[in-house]
Amino acid sequence: MEHPTTRTVVPAYTARLGQQQRRYASAAPEPVLSPDEYIPFESPSGIHTAPAFSNRPLPKTSSLTDLQPFDPSSPLIVDNSLITVAPRFKQFNNIGGEIEEITQTLYACLQLGRFERAANLMRRLQTIYKPDAAGLLHAHNEYIRELTWKIIFTRDLRLLKSLQRWFEVELRSRGAIPNATTFGLMIQASLQEADAQKAERAIRRYIHLAEAGGLRDQTMNQLLAILNHQELGRVTRIIPAAIEDINISAAEHLIKASGTTMSLPLDPPSKEATTPEVRPLDPNTLGLKTLKKSLLAFSDPSASPTFDGTQRTEGEADRQEAFERQLKIEQDTLDAAISRWQADSEDLKRLGISSALEQKSIGALMWNWHQLLTPLIKEEIQNAKEIDESNTVKGSNKDIHSFGLFLQFLNAEKLSAITILTCMQLLSTRGDADKTTTIQKVVSTVGRSIHEESLAEYLKNTKLHAVWRNIHSSASLKTLVRKAKQKRETNLLPELLDRYRWSRVVEVRVGAFLTSKLIDVAKMDVFRDDPDKGERLREFQPAFIHYFRYISGKPIGMLGFNKALLEMLAMSSTKAAMPRHLPMIVEPKPWIGFRDGGYLSSPVPVVRLKGHDSQAKAYTQTAIARGDMAQVFAGLDVLSKTPWRINRPIFEVMAEAWNTGDAIANMAPENPAIELPPKPIEDDVSSRYKWMMETKRLSNAKHGKKCERCFQNFQLEVARAYLDETFYFPHNVDFRGRAYPTAPFLNHMGADLCRGLLIFGRGKELGDAGLRWLKIHLSNLAGFDKASFEDRLKFVDDNLDNICDSARNPLKGRRWWLRTEDPWQCLAACMELENALESPDPRKFVSHMPIHQDGSCNGLQHYAALGGDIIGAGQVNLEPGSRPADVYTGVADIVKAEIAKDAEHGLELAKILHEKVTRKVVKQTVMTNVYGVTFFGATRQIRRQLEDLYPDFPNTSAINYGTGSYYIASKVFRALANMFKGAHDIQYWLGDCAGRICRSLTLEQIETIARRAEGNSKTENQFRLTPLKSAADKKNEFEAFTSTVIWTTPLRMPVVHPYRKVADRRVSTNLQTIGIAAPSISSPVDKRRQLQAFPPNFIHSLDATHMILSALKCTEEGLTFAAVHDSFWTHASDVDVMNGILRESFIKMHSENIIGRLAAEFRARYRGSMHFASVKKYSAVGKKIQKWRLQARLKLGFESSVPLVAELLQERRRLSLLASKDPKERQRGKEMVTAGSIFAEIAEESDLAVEEDLKEIALGSMKSTARVAKLEANKQIEVGDAANVGDVADALSESGVLVESQQPADADADADVESNEERLQAEAEKKRDLKRKQRKEQKINLWLPISFPPVPQKGSFDVSRIGLSKYFFS
């Protein structure tokens, strides 16, 4: 039994205001910092001086390709004080609300130079914070920093005097204690003094104050980080011994990470004289025009930037030009859109047309809206400025005063363009035909887009990319180090990005304001025929419709298009690529911080976090600061720096195929042959309902093809722009560590069309091995991938004539490639092979083709290795074999055998399905079952396959797609449960651990409950005032289960589960009241999602580890490497080497006791927590606990309303006594009787009751899902909409989840019930069994020290045998 102990973590004594401060958290052995030892976020090195996001290098004895040592008994634990809910205070002088909102407004004022309002906000913070609060000092430092920068840029000595007065009067005299950052900034400001004697006196004073506070060394280090070379010289002359040396380790690390030069590809693409045109879906397609204009930097020399005239070598000039063009691509999005709209409008005017609608020109229409919206925004911005200047806020001005500052980072033209583009894109990309979405989503997206553009504009104006320009234009290491000494802008980037983060509330208010203005001005001419008068009438109508729809009984605000605008959209598209998220034409920045890496001026986070997950962000940033993310960063850099090119021959064939408008390969047709059914002649309800459903289905299908073609059009245009470029895909990871490219339109994770277009930017000679692998690769792409390698080679040789014909005459020949599984990739491989064979020596042929090596259901591979499951290992090719095993075919064969038995017993459904179950039908379900797909989700997957493969499937009440998919899914789940027992046990164990974590109270919560029970509810904090509490806070603030599942991957990346039950925060806007999710560390966890998501997410974190390790080792061996999760790519000649690395990395990872290490980490991480466990009510331990409780309530006086709280404190007391060093106290603890002591005395692990959610967690588990389906369907019900009622009925009868009255949970069970009487008897017996089971499973709860179930016994499979399996990845 475990006893609560105090974990040693480094607390951060800070509220939200101090979020930019250094987040210190560590494992148990590291020292504790007191509040007086608070370290600011800006400290330059070491524990007092390391850069805020320094990527600590690994020990010299270790390699990035090796797993780093990790002590699971001492995991990274971030103190929750970092991430508690931002407190909220009463308003005073129109300043109040959450600390986060106050500080965001403060930063906005400082950024915009509104120092008077900033001073008022600072004074409000002084009334909220205690004088020595770290949060208040951080606010002072930010105020001083911005004033210092203003002084430097303006040389305004009056500002300097104001700053010095602020330091003396508002900071020191009010009890705030300056730190090294404060003194460093004051010295930097004093250096701007024109009078040298005054400057020297001020500098000596601040140095003296720093020495008195014991901060001299830290202040000197701070000066090294912020002063330039000349300023450092002046300080050195004033105080000669102050600065002895400059630590350039950060600069050296930066240079080492990025390389001293940006290497050009070994064989740059040749510039062709002509580039094939891609015929657009519509010549007036707005988004396409905008995209083309944005991509002018690729093709129009006049659009390229000019340079400063500095003399450079040819290579330096090329790199500089590429760098400048990349910046232009990232920054010119909005200007391209606005100019395109204006051009469309002017084109119509030259033709004498005043109405955009008459020519179906959406661009001209949006230009009209832009002209009307821009002056309205300017007026409101001016109004906000006047309110700030007058310092008078009246009731009518409160709204604009609360968010007006945030409108001023961009000019009105950009605000207008972003609002129009975002609304049009968001609505036009909806998959349904009516194109509606919630107001909440619209305003949130608009606000977030404004936020991101504001940040990009700020970074552009502050020129924080200067160092990166030097990196790409200079080949001199010495020069780089010197420049890094003088200017350390990169150290400022992470804190600036974090400092200027907006809250969800600000984003929603800004978005709602701009959206409402757009709705007001966006009008359009609508023409309709008057049948009575025979005239054509013209009306001026709103383009957007704001209305309310009832969903699950609640009114939800919706935004949709005018019907006339919908008709215009049917002829065009408003999708517009955001060029700053296109592939890069220079190597991406190496990752060195949370938002420092990838794009040059459009920062993205290194980890994609769900929503505003402050806990996950805190863990990630702390891990970065500790150096724990070094391998992840290095792996992302490997993926990001892989050079790519467009396969020109394939592009030319695609362009030719595209321009025909036909559905060639997987291209969507220009005019889908989908005819809507005629309206039924009969007027009965059933016929009309079926017609409505069919019409809606076909309309959505037709619209889906249209959207698909539009998207493919964009992909081809992007590819066309990059035809003569070598480019790169920046990567980041999701919260589990899986890597993704950040360029969404064209990347190697796309569909067959995208992958077919891409080749490596560097080529390698094939050699004998490469020629062999190229043939195997072609066979795989053709769909012949389950045979032995010898058979695959024979397949290619047998089809060589078809392959060569495909390569030479792709569209006019026999078109063999179109019959393959991945046609465009197959065609690319055909051309590559044909070119190689036609060359003088195929072995010398330089190939750029990426060759794929795919895992065999990689999730099951990891499970089989974790559990040592011999049978499972054989099914997924961990065990050597003469031919590749195929788990999908294996499951399909088992399902077919079971269906054949049912058919022999006369089951009609089985007879229909007997020959219809194929590998393809079950593949997705088998693949995703290991990743937690529900039974409901599985039926939907199988239904889609049945619909695609068998369009003539029966459609009766008893036999339809729904019943068929339900039946097959149940067979698939049973087959998996029988085949993978080891995976089943591991999944169950993971789910059980997650369930216990999510039903536990942390040590901090328990201590708080104890203090409150003792009448001492106050806790030490940094505030003078008492924060306000919401009704929810007052109700049960510390008794909610808030412990989330956190673990560390083998790469030492912390993973924090984001699933919490988040109550909406209501935000009043001028559109409507909008609810926004406000997740925090105090939000209760969503136990069901935590429990069900942990097994698949844990496996995802392992496959991410395997990929990163393989990427690092491949780079070390000189291989080019790319990956799509569990599909690894390299040159044909290097496949054998990569295969060895893949096996070596997998064996290395699974040779460690991964599950045992996870169990040890859980025991350490959650030590001291109390698990709210349950036992069966009528078990021996359950009966004894109930008897004790009756006696205890009488004896101890437990209140009936909170008996479990009293029991918690009693158990805490007992454990504390047992852990005492005093023998008498230990004896008293042994004599105490609690529910926990009773359990420890007579029960064991197996006596704990099984959580209901845990019953469906394991591989192949099923659960009745009719209620789930009903709830999902009810979410879509609209009041008074008959069509939607039909959708609900369809979902319950044919979606694969059947209403219980129509279909029993076990589809086979009724096969032998021959009569109605027998069926009724069987149902009655089931009800009696259910009642007996419910009585038997009644539970009671009790508090136990958290413990975790024993790790499942590992099987005897030897993981080293993977090294002998040639089909492990193939």
Side-chain angles (χ1 to χ4, degrees):
M1 179 173 295
E2 297 177 11
H3 306 297
T5 59
T6 302
R7 295 168 299 173
T8 308
V9 297
V10 181
Y13 297 90
T14 174
R16 286 278 182 163
L17 181 59
Q19 283 215 345
Q20 290 72 28
Q21 299 163 156
R22 187 146 171 79
R23 290 171 167 83
Y24 283 109
S26 65
E30 298 190 12
V32 178
L33 294 179
S34 71
D36 295 332
E37 294 175 302
Y38 161 76
I39 309 300
F41 211 37
E42 298 80 7
S43 303
S45 64
I47 194 169
H48 292 278
T49 57
F53 293 91
S54 62
N55 191 14
R56 188 175 64 192
L58 295 167
K60 293 182 180 179
T61 57
S62 67
S63 167
L64 283 174
T65 61
D66 296 326
L67 290 174
Q68 305 308 310
F70 174 72
D71 181 3
S73 65
S74 181
L76 169 65
I77 300 174
V78 173
D79 186 353
N80 288 346
S81 64
L82 288 170
I83 38 184
T84 52
V85 181
R88 188 175 183 85
F89 299 90
K90 290 182 179 180
Q91 284 200 356
F92 180 77
N93 288 340
N94 296 303
I95 302 174
E98 291 185 0
I99 282 288
E100 183 179 39
E101 294 176 23
I102 298 174
T103 54
Q104 285 172 353
T105 306
L106 170 66
Y107 294 146
C109 289
L110 293 173
Q111 196 176 354
L112 294 168
R114 306 292 169 74
F115 293 111
E116 184 176 349
R117 184 175 176 185
N120 290 334
L121 290 166
M122 281 298 307
R123 294 186 181 99
R124 174 58 176 159
L125 289 174
Q126 286 174 334
T127 65
I128 292 174
Y129 280 107
K130 295 176 181 177
D132 60 347
L136 180 60
L137 178 60
H138 187 80
H140 277 298
N141 285 342
E142 294 307 315
Y143 183 82
I144 294 170
R145 185 195 310 280
E146 292 291 343
L147 267 177
T148 299
W149 287 357
K150 185 78 171 179
I151 293 166
I152 292 171
F153 293 137
T154 65
R155 301 293 179 179
D156 188 342
L157 297 185
R158 291 175 300 176
L159 282 178
L160 177 58
K161 291 180 179 179
S162 298
L163 175 60
Q164 291 172 338
R165 183 180 183 280
W166 182 274
F167 176 82
E168 300 295 342
V169 177
E170 300 290 348
L171 195 153
R172 292 190 68 236
S173 66
R174 291 180 179 270
I177 303 174
N179 61 11
T181 299
T182 318
F183 292 124
L185 290 170
M186 292 304 300
I187 291 171
Q188 185 182 29
S190 300
L191 285 167
Q192 314 310 314
E193 172 64 67
D195 188 326
Q197 291 184 345
K198 289 183 179 180
E200 182 175 339
R201 284 198 303 270
I203 291 170
R204 288 186 181 278
R205 170 169 168 71
Y206 297 132
I207 292 293
H208 173 74
L209 290 174
E211 288 176 341
L215 298 172
R216 175 189 172 92
D217 292 342
Q218 294 95 315
T219 301
M220 294 303 105
N221 286 324
Q222 178 68 15
L223 292 177
L224 289 174
I226 64 176
L227 300 184
N228 62 31
H229 183 70
Q230 292 179 341
E231 290 169 336
L232 286 172
R234 288 186 61 189
V235 174
T236 304
R237 286 192 295 273
I238 294 172
I239 309 174
I243 301 174
E244 298 177 356
D245 190 23
I246 295 178
N247 182 358
I248 61 171
S249 60
E252 290 173 338
H253 171 74
L254 177 68
I255 296 160
K256 181 180 179 181
S258 62
T260 57
T261 63
M262 184 190 72
S263 301
L264 292 175
L266 298 177
D267 39 5
S270 59
K271 304 281 184 178
E272 298 289 341
T274 60
T275 299
E277 291 288 341
V278 177
R279 183 165 63 86
L281 182 63
D282 182 281
N284 294 315
T285 299
L286 174 68
L288 194 56
K289 290 181 178 180
T290 302
L291 178 65
K292 286 183 175 181
K293 184 171 180 63
S294 300
L295 295 174
L296 278 178
F298 292 107
S299 56
D300 184 1
S302 65
S304 298
T306 58
F307 306 108
D308 56 12
T310 304
Q311 293 295 319
R312 296 180 175 88
T313 66
E314 182 178 352
E316 289 176 345
D318 289 342
R319 289 190 290 271
Q320 179 72 9
E321 180 187 5
F323 182 88
E324 296 290 347
R325 283 197 299 142
Q326 178 62 38
L327 282 177
K328 186 174 180 62
I329 292 168
E330 294 182 20
Q331 295 170 355
D332 286 356
T333 310
L334 295 176
D335 293 338
I338 295 171
S339 60
R340 186 63 259 167
W341 302 343
Q342 185 176 7
D344 279 0
S345 179
E346 291 173 353
D347 288 344
L348 291 181
K349 288 179 181 178
R350 281 195 294 270
L351 295 173
I353 298 171
S354 59
S355 170
L357 183 61
E358 294 181 21
Q359 288 296 311
K360 304 292 189 293
S361 175
I362 295 180
L365 191 62
M366 293 167 74
W367 173 250
N368 293 337
W369 300 344
H370 180 64
Q371 286 183 307
L372 294 171
L373 182 58
T374 300
L376 285 181
I377 296 175
K378 285 182 178 178
E379 181 181 343
E380 292 294 345
I381 291 176
Q382 184 59 35
N383 183 28
K385 290 180 179 178
E386 291 174 358
I387 294 171
D388 283 348
E389 292 171 0
S390 65
N391 202 23
T392 303
V393 183
K394 299 179 180 179
S396 59
N397 293 328
K398 281 187 177 181
D399 283 345
I400 191 66
H401 182 69
S402 66
F403 63 81
L405 274 172
F406 298 91
L407 295 172
Q408 298 172 42
F409 292 106
L410 301 172
N411 58 44
E413 287 77 11
K414 284 194 173 183
L415 292 171
S416 171
I418 292 171
T419 305
I420 295 170
L421 273 174
T422 303
C423 289
M424 293 295 286
Q425 289 176 18
L426 190 62
L427 291 170
S428 65
T429 53
R430 295 285 296 171
D432 49 358
D434 60 354
K435 306 278 187 193
T436 60
T437 191
T438 63
I439 279 287
Q440 190 271 345
K441 184 173 183 179
V442 173
V443 301
S444 295
T445 306
V446 171
R448 185 165 58 253
S449 299
I450 299 295
H451 180 192
E452 291 171 354
E453 186 65 26
S454 298
L455 182 58
E457 185 76 7
Y458 178 74
L459 294 178
K460 174 183 175 182
N461 293 336
T462 52
K463 300 184 184 302
L464 288 174
H465 51 259
V467 169
W468 294 107
R469 180 183 288 107
N470 291 335
I471 285 176
H472 285 286
S473 64
S474 174
S476 170
L477 174 63
K478 183 177 180 180
T479 300
L480 287 175
V481 173
R482 177 176 54 80
K483 291 183 177 180
K485 286 182 184 179
Q486 295 177 359
K487 294 280 188 180
R488 298 169 188 258
E489 288 93 337
T490 49
N491 289 342
L492 297 174
L493 182 60
E495 66 180 79
L496 284 172
L497 295 172
D498 204 28
R499 184 185 311 151
Y500 296 119
R501 181 182 62 84
W502 297 0
S503 69
R504 290 286 305 281
V505 173
V506 170
E507 288 182 351
V508 164
R509 284 177 175 160
V510 169
F513 165 77
L514 293 170
T515 304
S516 68
K517 294 299 181 185
L518 175 61
I519 293 173
D520 290 343
V521 303
K523 301 291 193 297
M524 59 187 300
D525 288 330
V526 177
F527 294 88
R528 64 181 180 86
D529 296 326
D530 187 337
D532 296 331
K533 298 182 180 180
E535 298 177 355
R536 185 168 176 78
L537 303 179
R538 175 179 177 177
E539 296 178 350
F540 205 49
Q541 295 182 2
F544 298 94
I545 310 299
H546 177 206
Y547 66 100
F548 287 87
R549 173 186 294 177
Y550 279 86
I551 300 178
S552 298
K554 296 181 180 179
I556 304 296
M558 308 294 293
L559 189 67
F561 285 137
N562 187 303
K563 185 178 179 181
L565 189 55
L566 278 174
E567 294 174 357
M568 294 175 67
L569 286 171
M571 304 298 294
S572 184
S573 169
T574 59
K575 281 187 179 178
M578 298 300 286
R580 67 171 59 96
H581 291 149
L582 289 169
M584 296 180 66
I585 56 175
V586 297
E587 283 189 0
K589 290 163 53 178
W591 283 105
I592 60 172
F594 184 75
R595 280 184 176 268
D596 201 353
Y599 290 104
L600 304 183
S601 65
S602 301
V604 294
V606 68
V607 179
R608 304 180 181 196
L609 301 177
K610 290 181 174 289
H612 286 233
D613 191 343
S614 55
Q615 187 179 24
K617 185 175 181 181
Y619 266 90
T620 302
Q621 291 181 320
T622 308
I624 292 170
R626 285 162 44 100
D628 290 346
M629 295 284 284
Q631 283 181 293
V632 174
F633 281 3
L636 288 176
D637 291 343
V638 168
L639 299 173
S640 300
K641 292 184 178 182
T642 296
W644 296 89
R645 281 170 38 190
I646 297 297
N647 189 331
R648 179 177 279 271
I650 289 295
F651 176 81
E652 291 173 351
V653 176
M654 282 188 182
E656 183 181 353
W658 177 267
N659 292 338
T660 66
D662 297 333
I664 297 176
N666 39 37
M667 287 180 173
E670 186 172 6
N671 297 300
I674 299 176
E675 298 294 333
L676 299 182
K679 192 172 182 179
I681 300 175
E682 303 86 359
D683 199 24
D684 63 285
V685 175
S686 177
S687 298
R688 184 174 178 80
Y689 170 73
K690 288 182 179 179
W691 171 76
M692 289 171 59
M693 292 297 99
E694 185 67 7
T695 300
K696 183 175 182 178
R697 184 182 71 82
L698 292 175
S699 295
N700 286 337
K702 190 172 185 177
H703 178 73
K705 291 292 183 183
K706 163 68 166 44
C707 290
E708 186 180 356
R709 187 165 177 89
C710 286
F711 188 72
Q712 289 173 345
N713 200 167
F714 278 101
Q715 291 177 318
L716 289 174
E717 281 298 338
V718 173
R720 184 176 183 274
Y722 282 85
L723 270 177
D724 298 323
E725 302 287 346
T726 296
F727 52 89
Y728 308 84
F729 299 124
H731 282 67
N732 62 2
V733 297
D734 65 12
F735 73 96
R736 303 162 300 186
R738 291 193 117 193
Y740 296 85
T742 57
F745 280 87
L746 182 71
N747 62 62
H748 59 296
M749 285 193 183
D752 176 56
L753 183 143
C754 286
R755 296 187 186 190
L757 282 168
L758 296 172
I759 55 176
F760 286 138
R762 293 184 174 91
K764 285 192 175 183
E765 292 183 357
L766 281 176
D768 290 330
L771 186 61
R772 174 176 179 270
W773 277 111
L774 178 57
K775 291 182 177 181
I776 293 173
H777 178 62
L778 198 160
S779 176
N780 293 343
L781 294 171
F784 194 74
D785 56 344
K786 302 307 168 190
S788 66
F789 289 144
E790 292 72 20
D791 288 343
R792 293 183 222 182
L793 291 169
K794 184 177 184 301
F795 171 84
V796 172
D797 291 339
D798 292 344
N799 285 279
L800 196 56
D801 185 48
N802 286 324
I803 290 168
C804 292
D805 177 74
S806 296
R808 295 165 187 161
N809 304 291
L811 298 177
K812 297 178 181 178
R814 294 191 291 271
R815 294 190 173 194
W816 173 83
W817 63 280
L818 286 177
R819 300 193 293 272
T820 61
E821 194 165 304
D822 298 297
W824 290 114
Q825 293 177 81
C826 183
L827 179 60
C830 289
M831 290 183 174
E832 191 83 350
L833 180 60
E834 202 264 347
N835 289 336
L837 295 177
E838 290 296 314
S839 66
D841 185 353
R843 295 173 301 176
K844 296 292 185 180
F845 177 77
V846 177
S847 174
H848 295 75
M849 177 70 58
I851 305 300
H852 309 172
Q853 295 291 282
D854 300 342
S856 303
C857 196
N858 191 236
L860 283 174
Q861 287 182 322
H862 284 286
Y863 268 127
L866 289 172
D869 191 338
I870 292 180
I871 296 176
Q875 289 291 332
V876 291
N877 293 304
L878 301 189
E879 182 70 27
S882 59
R883 297 180 63 84
D886 180 30
V887 66
Y888 310 117
T889 301
V891 171
D893 290 342
I894 293 174
V895 171
K896 283 191 287 188
E898 291 295 314
I899 291 176
K901 291 180 182 178
D902 290 344
E904 291 177 2
H905 287 85
L907 187 64
E908 290 298 322
L909 182 58
K911 293 178 181 178
I912 297 293
L913 290 169
H914 180 49
E915 299 297 331
K916 290 182 170 57
V917 176
T918 64
R919 178 183 185 274
K920 188 173 183 180
V921 169
V922 304
K923 178 179 178 180
Q924 187 181 15
T925 301
V926 174
M927 185 188 306
T928 55
N929 194 284
V930 72
Y931 292 124
V933 69
T934 64
F935 186 71
F936 177 56
T939 58
R940 294 177 65 182
Q941 292 170 346
I942 292 173
R943 176 182 177 133
R944 283 194 295 269
Q945 295 297 333
L946 292 178
E947 289 174 343
D948 290 343
L949 295 172
Y950 310 109
D952 298 327
F953 196 82
N955 187 20
T956 67
S957 59
I959 300 177
N960 52 56
Y961 287 123
T963 56
S965 57
Y966 183 99
Y967 176 67
I968 294 173
S970 65
K971 300 291 187 183
V972 171
F973 272 54
R974 288 193 186 93
L976 285 170
N978 292 329
M979 291 175 70
F980 291 93
K981 186 181 183 304
H984 178 282
D985 293 343
I986 293 290
Q987 273 190 323
Y988 191 89
W989 182 86
L990 292 170
D992 196 359
C993 291
R996 298 185 188 202
I997 291 168
C998 297
R999 285 177 61 84
S1000 64
L1001 292 179
T1002 64
L1003 187 62
E1004 293 80 3
Q1005 285 179 297
I1006 297 169
E1007 295 301 324
T1008 303
I1009 293 171
R1011 286 196 301 269
R1012 190 169 59 184
E1014 295 165 0
N1016 179 22
S1017 59
K1018 292 185 178 181
T1019 57
E1020 286 296 320
N1021 57 45
Q1022 55 184 334
F1023 303 115
R1024 296 176 188 261
L1025 304 182
T1026 302
L1028 301 175
K1029 288 186 179 180
S1030 65
D1033 292 334
K1034 296 174 183 177
K1035 183 178 179 181
N1036 229 358
E1037 183 177 7
F1038 294 102
E1039 292 165 22
F1041 295 115
T1042 62
S1043 295
T1044 189
V1045 180
I1046 303 173
W1047 74 96
T1048 308
T1049 74
L1051 295 178
R1052 300 182 67 176
M1053 174 182 171
V1055 181
V1056 180
H1057 253 187
Y1059 313 112
R1060 295 184 180 273
K1061 295 178 180 178
V1062 183
D1064 281 352
R1065 175 177 173 181
R1066 314 306 292 175
V1067 179
S1068 297
T1069 70
N1070 51 350
L1071 272 175
Q1072 64 177 63
T1073 298
I1074 294 173
I1076 61 173
S1080 73
I1081 183 67
S1082 62
S1083 299
V1085 293
D1086 187 332
K1087 184 186 73 172
R1088 181 183 178 86
R1089 293 186 68 193
Q1090 291 266 351
L1091 186 150
Q1092 293 185 343
F1094 180 41
N1097 285 342
F1098 180 72
I1099 294 300
H1100 279 311
S1101 71
L1102 294 184
D1103 68 44
T1105 298
H1106 180 225
M1107 188 276 290
I1108 292 290
L1109 287 175
S1110 300
L1112 293 171
K1113 187 64 176 179
C1114 283
T1115 300
E1116 187 179 89
E1117 297 292 332
L1119 276 62
T1120 298
F1121 183 88
V1124 181
H1125 301 318
D1126 60 349
S1127 177
F1128 301 157
W1129 303 5
T1130 193
H1131 288 96
S1133 58
D1134 291 332
V1135 170
D1136 287 324
V1137 178
M1138 185 181 75
N1139 271 332
I1141 290 171
L1142 300 185
R1143 287 154 177 77
E1144 177 188 332
S1145 298
F1146 194 92
I1147 293 170
K1148 183 186 301 181
M1149 186 170 71
H1150 282 284
S1151 295
E1152 296 194 354
N1153 186 0
I1154 294 176
I1155 298 298
R1157 189 183 76 165
L1158 179 65
E1161 179 183 349
F1162 279 167
R1163 288 192 292 270
R1165 184 176 298 283
Y1166 299 102
R1167 184 179 297 120
S1169 296
M1170 296 295 289
H1171 174 211
F1172 194 51
S1174 58
V1175 296
K1176 294 177 181 178
K1177 186 174 182 179
Y1178 297 103
S1179 64
V1181 67
K1183 290 177 180 178
K1184 188 166 184 179
I1185 289 174
Q1186 290 180 81
K1187 182 178 179 180
W1188 168 79
R1189 280 178 175 166
L1190 288 175
Q1191 298 171 349
R1193 289 182 187 179
L1194 295 174
K1195 181 179 178 180
L1196 302 176
F1198 285 1
E1199 297 180 19
S1200 59
S1201 60
V1202 287
L1204 288 173
V1205 173
E1207 285 189 20
L1208 171 66
L1209 299 180
Q1210 284 287 319
E1211 184 67 16
R1212 169 180 171 271
R1213 175 63 177 161
R1214 184 180 76 89
L1215 295 174
S1216 177
L1217 291 172
L1218 289 174
S1220 174
K1221 295 181 179 180
D1222 187 340
K1224 294 181 179 180
E1225 290 190 346
R1226 288 200 301 273
Q1227 183 61 34
R1228 286 170 53 196
K1230 293 177 182 178
E1231 293 171 356
M1232 286 184 66
V1233 180
T1234 65
S1237 70
I1238 294 172
F1239 182 89
E1241 179 184 355
I1242 67 171
E1244 54 188 22
E1245 175 76 25
S1246 59
D1247 288 301
L1248 291 174
V1250 177
E1251 293 286 344
E1252 190 65 27
D1253 293 332
L1254 196 57
K1255 295 177 181 179
E1256 57 178 310
I1257 194 66
L1259 190 70
S1261 297
M1262 292 181 291
K1263 185 176 179 180
S1264 176
T1265 50
R1267 172 172 168 76
V1268 177
K1270 190 179 296 182
L1271 291 174
E1272 290 293 325
N1274 285 342
K1275 291 180 182 179
Q1276 302 301 323
I1277 292 179
E1278 285 184 47
V1279 175
D1281 189 339
N1284 266 350
V1285 175
D1287 281 343
V1288 175
D1290 181 66
L1292 295 178
S1293 64
E1294 295 186 13
S1295 68
V1297 181
L1298 305 165
V1299 179
E1300 292 175 0
S1301 60
Q1302 295 175 314
Q1303 176 77 15
D1306 184 347
D1308 306 4
D1310 269 358
D1312 298 327
V1313 179
E1314 298 177 356
S1315 68
N1316 187 52
E1317 182 178 354
E1318 290 175 339
R1319 181 175 58 80
L1320 293 175
Q1321 289 177 353
E1323 289 179 355
E1325 182 62 30
K1326 284 182 181 179
K1327 290 181 180 179
R1328 287 192 293 271
D1329 289 342
L1330 181 61
K1331 287 183 179 179
R1332 286 194 294 267
K1333 185 177 180 181
Q1334 287 175 340
R1335 182 179 183 278
K1336 186 178 179 181
E1337 292 188 354
Q1338 284 182 323
K1339 304 170 187 176
I1340 60 171
N1341 298 110
L1342 71 159
W1343 295 103
L1344 296 175
I1346 193 168
S1347 63
F1348 296 96
V1351 173
Q1353 186 174 359
K1354 194 169 184 177
S1356 57
F1357 174 68
D1358 180 4
V1359 71
S1360 66
R1361 289 183 59 77
I1362 296 172
L1364 304 175
S1365 174
K1366 60 181 178 180
Y1367 297 112
F1368 167 58
F1369 269 69
S1370 65

